[in-house]
Amino acid sequence: MSRIGLLVCLGLFVAPLCGAQTSVRTDTVHFQSGPETVPGYLAMPDSPGRHPALVVIQEWWGLNDWVKEQAREFARQGYVALAPDLYHGKVATNPEDAHELSRGMPRD
């Protein structure tokens, strides 16, 4: 990787840490995805106005505390962050359970 490329990558990770922090609101939400209703964790800045939004995809462990903290951190930086609960409330605590939960996901 070139030095410029490395600096750009570092800037993407470090720049948000230097910005102003804001308080956040969180909520459990439900939304339609095809024929099913999917739960999710929503974190948003507690400030008026429009905010950019993003989707935080969980790791194979599920929607655990670490993923929720990442969504809150994005919200502190001014983003609305939605983390869908792809395992519908189940969270793995070991690799075997995580593997089984991930196998239950549709291929698409």
Side-chain angles (χ1 to χ4, degrees):
M1 177 181 286
S2 71
R3 286 185 184 179
I4 292 175
L6 179 60
L7 290 175
V8 169
C9 288
L10 288 174
L12 291 174
F13 291 106
V14 175
L17 300 175
C18 300
Q21 298 284 312
T22 185
S23 61
V24 301
R25 293 180 290 149
T26 62
D27 199 4
T28 299
V29 297
H30 293 83
F31 56 94
Q32 284 299 123
S33 177
E36 69 177 311
T37 301
V38 178
Y41 182 78
L42 183 66
M44 61 203 112
D46 193 20
S47 59
R50 296 171 60 132
H51 301 280
L54 51 87
V55 176
V56 179
I57 301 298
Q58 69 189 39
E59 298 174 311
W60 77 328
W61 303 104
L63 183 59
N64 59 16
D65 291 340
W66 187 85
V67 175
K68 291 176 182 179
E69 177 53 34
Q70 301 315 300
R72 288 190 299 272
E73 181 57 33
F74 281 119
R76 283 190 283 273
Q77 299 303 321
Y79 294 90
V80 173
L82 173 65
D85 186 354
L86 302 177
Y87 296 160
H88 298 273
K90 296 178 184 170
V91 176
T93 56
N94 61 63
E96 293 79 21
D97 290 344
H99 178 72
E100 285 303 311
L101 287 170
S102 69
R103 287 179 41 144
M105 296 292 302
R107 298 297 256 167
D108 60 350

